[in-house]
Amino acid sequence: MAKKNGTHDLDVTIQCPACHEYGVFHTWDVIDTADAKLSERVHFDENLFFYTCPHCHAKIHMESKCLYIDRDKKLLVWHIPDPKERVTSKEVQDALGSPSFTTYTCRAALTWGEWREKIIELESSYDDRLYEIIKYGAYQLLSQEDKDRLPLEAYHIDYADDSHDPDKLALVFMQKDAKGMAYVYPITEHLKEVTKDIFLPIIEQIADANRKAQFDRFGYSWARQFTTYIIKAAEEDKNRETYGNLIGFWVKTIGDEIFRAEVKPE
Ligand SMILES: [Zn+2]
């Protein structure tokens, strides 16, 4: 019998970096969406992974390993802060309470922010890798001045509005040194279609079919590598003009569909 709720919590003893006093941090190493309240917190509670020191009240951002399980949507998303660490099948099977997870989409993320972003992307009906390509492409269109003002580390994908519709996502550019100030650009259906038509066949062509349960990190760096590879391959192809035109058309579509106002593409 498979477990119905694999949520697992633990207490970790913390020495406060500010006052050096000890305290206990309550956290989770497995979060299962069967626990609806906790799942809600993953999506909307910014303080979920913060430790508040009971002695000096310093707020400390904690990074620790955690697996997110959604049995209905068949998602497994690991937050693994150490990029060198690999998870074993046994760890996943133990958390899931089931020997097989081949029907699940498996992903890994390095930070809590990336982890939440990945969960939101995977809950939509659109391919998360295509979202990452759109995210990467749009950032390339910013001027250097805007890149300095809207840093990459705080740039992310989130819900476009308060309806929290999983199919209405947006690119969110946070302004440096202005807490909470953000530019929100909804990702349009047309841009999604164009990106899918151009890139999905290539992703499917180069993807290893056996990698389904591999917990890959399909984030910004992956999108950068992938796009660089595509452009290089296009330059070497005999149909380079066709590919070049397609990429040019895609870049123009991002400009038209995303940046209609505030941020002007170069
Ligand atoms: Zn303290």
Side-chain angles (χ1 to χ4, degrees):
M1 269 292 277
K3 275 190 220 175
K4 287 210 171 62
N5 182 357
T7 295
H8 185 259
D9 59 349
L10 67 160
D11 287 330
V12 187
T13 303
I14 305 287
Q15 188 179 17
C16 173
C19 73
H20 307 292
E21 291 287 341
Y22 288 91
V24 173
F25 178 56
H26 183 247
T27 190
W28 296 265
D29 53 6
V30 182
I31 291 180
D32 189 319
T33 57
D35 188 334
K37 259 193 193 153
L38 191 53
S39 169
E40 174 86 6
R41 288 188 68 192
V42 167
H43 289 74
F44 304 111
D45 181 355
E46 289 177 5
N47 293 317
L48 187 59
F49 299 106
F50 276 93
Y51 166 74
T52 305
C53 174
H55 309 281
C56 73
H57 307 289
K59 222 172 125 185
I60 300 144
H61 193 178
M62 304 294 297
E63 292 284 352
S64 58
K65 211 168 140 185
C66 182
L67 173 63
Y68 180 89
I69 302 176
D70 186 329
R71 293 168 203 271
D72 297 328
K73 298 188 185 80
K74 296 269 184 272
L75 307 176
L76 293 170
V77 190
W78 273 107
H79 169 238
I80 309 172
D82 179 356
K84 288 187 222 84
E85 185 170 346
R86 294 282 168 270
V87 291
T88 63
S89 295
K90 186 167 184 311
E91 265 180 278
V92 182
Q93 289 159 343
D94 287 351
L96 200 58
S98 156
S100 171
F101 55 95
T102 49
T103 54
Y104 280 76
T105 301
C106 303
R107 296 288 187 260
L110 269 183
T111 65
W112 290 123
E114 203 184 289
W115 182 70
R116 175 186 179 271
E117 182 180 40
K118 188 49 70 183
I119 291 167
I120 288 172
E121 286 175 3
L122 290 170
E123 285 171 346
S124 98
S125 56
Y126 191 66
D127 193 300
D128 65 304
R129 297 166 298 186
L130 296 173
Y131 274 127
E132 296 292 343
I133 291 171
I134 291 173
K135 185 185 170 189
Y136 171 77
Y139 199 75
Q140 306 319 302
L141 296 189
L142 297 188
S143 64
Q144 192 53 51
E145 192 187 320
D146 280 328
K147 282 180 181 162
D148 294 340
R149 196 166 62 90
L150 310 165
L152 182 58
E153 305 78 63
Y155 169 50
H156 63 282
I157 286 178
D158 209 332
Y159 296 111
D161 55 48
D162 291 341
S163 70
H164 302 145
D165 182 336
D167 280 320
K168 284 188 184 137
L169 302 185
L171 299 172
V172 180
F173 298 82
M174 308 289 290
Q175 205 166 304
K176 198 178 173 179
D177 306 326
K179 207 177 170 353
M181 274 295 291
Y183 295 90
V184 179
Y185 292 95
I187 301 168
T188 64
E189 288 306 313
H190 181 60
L191 176 58
K192 279 156 75 172
E193 270 168 46
V194 169
T195 307
K196 187 177 171 182
D197 288 347
I198 296 176
F199 295 104
L200 192 59
I202 309 169
I203 292 178
E204 285 175 343
Q205 216 179 331
I206 64 173
D208 181 343
N210 297 323
R211 291 191 72 82
K212 178 96 179 159
Q214 286 286 330
F215 293 97
D216 285 313
R217 280 187 65 215
F218 289 111
Y220 192 86
S221 337
W222 171 81
R224 181 176 52 219
Q225 280 170 20
F226 177 79
T227 317
T228 309
Y229 164 82
I230 297 305
I231 291 169
K232 199 165 169 283
E235 281 167 358
E236 287 163 5
D237 196 275
K238 57 178 165 28
N239 299 316
R240 57 192 288 176
E241 210 166 306
T242 318
Y243 276 120
N245 287 345
L246 269 180
I247 303 285
F249 174 67
W250 177 64
V251 171
K252 188 184 174 303
T253 308
I254 297 178
D256 291 348
E257 297 284 313
I258 299 281
F259 301 118
R260 271 173 265 188
E262 294 92 333
V263 181
K264 285 249 169 61
E266 269 183 328

